[in-house]
Amino acid sequence: MKNFTSIKDVPDVKALLQLAQEIKKQPYNYKSYGENKTLGLLFFNPSLRTRMSTQKAAQNLSMQVMVMNLNSDGWQIELEDGTVMNQGTQEHIKEAAGVISQYCDIMGVRTFPSLTDKEADYSEKVLNKFLEHSLIPVISLESATLHPLQSFADLITIVEQKKIAKPKVVLSWAPHVRSLPQAVSNSFAQWMSNADVDFIITNPEGFDLADEFTNGTKVIHDQDEALANADFVYAKNWSSYEDYGKIRTDLNQWQITNKKMALTNDGKFMHCLPVRRNLVVADEVLDSEASIVLQQANNRTYAAQAVLLNILRNGS
Ligand code: SN0
């Protein structure tokens, strides 16, 4: 594996999953692999789990880590070719990516979508510019359309928590007050439609995700019907893909409550975090035994470590 920007970069998902499970048992088994190697983490947007778990994963492999919050600490980066840079941008992606490639052996990039320009977002304009101009492997720390490190950690969590061979996994839209990316949901759908689970999606009309990521997954617009007998309920808000970036704030009945969880098969509650309490999910669920959000967050480290190790082994 050279880059890690979606499940499509992973030649063997089962093997990567096994590696993550093995690393979870013995996190320091591969600690010589990252010696004298540097990971650069570049953030255009806020982060808690991604930043700390990826740093922890790199440290477990003896890598050095450099973190840049590009928006607040770096120069404003120009992405367009041939522009006269007499406006707000100070440094071109060609030089920025070229320089970072000399200081680091692997770089991670977090770049959220605009949620106003669908075409730019869904063409992964920013991430692809880094891929184009980087001389080292690039991993996504959540891009405009996908969050593969999160989805990989979610897969690890489901595999370790499941009670039956092929559990029912439901991705449910949940209420929110801001326009949020579709990335976590797109990515979860992409990984789940590729996993040995019975996967369905439930969302209000007008909030169907892009077909390119759901791969024909059944979408049910009645949440109660979808939740019936679920083993895992993955809640997430996303703004509309069809009416791009638009939100609805009149759908509080989609909040995950104990009443909703009672429809499931003693189901587990999942969310990528950060989660807004009593908007997306009620305290009674998040504070209950059903919630496995902290286990998901814990698995972020092992997902990142398996990805970094795989890239290091292939000789960065
Ligand atoms: C991000 C998202 O993609 O939805 C990151 C999730 C890992 N979440 C948010 O931006 C939440 C912000 C909020 O206002 O609650």
Side-chain angles (χ1 to χ4, degrees):
M1 192 159 72
K2 177 150 195 299
N3 302 306
F4 181 77
T5 62
S6 97
I7 196 171
K8 291 186 178 165
D9 287 329
V10 185
D12 187 343
V13 175
K14 277 212 167 69
L16 196 64
L17 175 64
Q18 274 166 13
L19 181 62
Q21 289 167 326
E22 185 201 322
I23 288 169
K24 187 169 183 174
K25 286 192 203 115
Q26 304 281 344
Y28 309 111
N29 258 5
Y30 297 95
K31 69 172 190 281
S32 64
Y33 282 75
E35 268 168 20
N36 305 323
K37 302 278 185 191
T38 300
L39 174 67
L41 298 178
L42 312 173
F43 290 93
F44 286 99
N45 312 94
S47 170
L48 188 153
R49 277 147 294 278
T50 300
R51 176 170 171 160
M52 295 185 76
S53 65
T54 310
Q55 188 155 357
K56 171 99 180 156
Q59 284 167 359
N60 288 350
L61 295 166
S62 308
M63 294 185 88
Q64 302 291 318
V65 185
M66 298 198 287
V67 182
M68 271 295 281
N69 296 314
L70 285 171
N71 281 347
S72 53
D73 304 342
W75 302 109
Q76 291 299 305
I77 294 186
E78 177 61 48
L79 296 174
E80 302 298 333
D81 288 336
T83 43
V84 178
M85 286 170 58
N86 59 2
Q87 300 292 318
T89 57
Q90 296 125 343
E91 172 145 29
H92 201 278
I93 180 75
K94 288 185 186 177
E95 285 77 50
V99 168
I100 294 162
S101 297
Q102 298 181 88
Y103 301 156
C104 302
D105 300 279
I106 301 176
M107 74 169 88
V109 182
R110 164 161 287 194
T111 169
F112 284 0
S114 64
L115 295 174
T116 52
D117 185 342
K118 186 175 187 169
E119 208 247 293
D121 291 347
Y122 272 71
S123 68
E124 289 288 3
K125 193 168 170 184
V126 182
L127 183 66
N128 281 333
K129 286 285 176 187
F130 274 96
L131 286 162
E132 185 184 341
H133 296 296
S134 164
L135 303 170
I136 58 174
V138 175
I139 63 175
S140 163
L141 306 174
E142 186 173 350
S143 68
T145 67
L146 293 171
H147 194 357
L149 283 174
Q150 178 67 51
S151 312
F152 182 27
D154 297 335
L155 175 67
I156 297 168
T157 311
I158 288 170
V159 169
E160 74 188 7
Q161 297 272 341
K162 70 179 182 181
K163 294 185 208 127
I164 53 172
K166 197 172 177 180
K168 176 173 171 180
V169 178
V170 181
L171 169 63
S172 177
W173 185 91
H176 209 281
V177 289
R178 281 182 60 215
S179 181
L180 294 193
Q182 296 99 33
V184 168
S185 313
N186 284 339
S187 192
F188 186 70
Q190 199 178 41
W191 284 69
M192 284 301 119
S193 57
N194 201 62
D196 198 14
V197 296
D198 175 13
F199 179 54
I200 59 168
I201 303 172
T202 183
N203 55 254
E205 304 263 4
F207 285 82
D208 288 4
L209 296 166
D211 292 337
E212 63 175 298
F213 302 120
T214 59
N215 299 314
T217 299
K218 188 165 158 193
V219 179
I220 300 180
H221 293 127
D222 179 333
Q223 191 192 37
D224 287 0
E225 185 191 332
L227 292 177
N229 282 319
D231 297 295
F232 295 92
V233 178
Y234 197 104
K236 182 72 183 80
N237 171 269
W238 60 89
S239 60
S240 178
Y241 171 69
E242 294 163 51
D243 192 2
Y244 196 61
K246 292 289 178 307
I247 64 167
R248 280 195 55 185
T249 53
D250 59 333
L251 296 170
N252 277 339
Q253 69 272 25
W254 281 75
Q255 181 181 133
I256 305 296
T257 57
N258 272 350
K259 209 171 146 207
K260 297 280 180 185
M261 292 303 289
L263 301 168
T264 70
N265 178 29
D266 196 18
K268 297 290 186 194
F269 174 82
M270 300 179 75
H271 190 282
C272 61
L273 305 180
V275 71
R276 295 200 185 206
R277 284 175 171 260
N278 304 311
L279 178 65
V280 169
V281 55
D283 281 344
E284 62 193 15
V285 176
L286 203 52
D287 294 331
S288 76
E289 289 289 308
S291 173
I292 54 170
V293 297
L294 295 186
Q295 286 89 331
Q296 285 173 265
N298 186 33
N299 284 329
R300 292 293 308 275
T301 300
Y302 310 110
Q305 203 172 327
V307 167
L308 291 173
L309 178 61
N310 188 301
I311 293 173
L312 287 169
R313 272 172 165 173
N314 292 329
S316 62

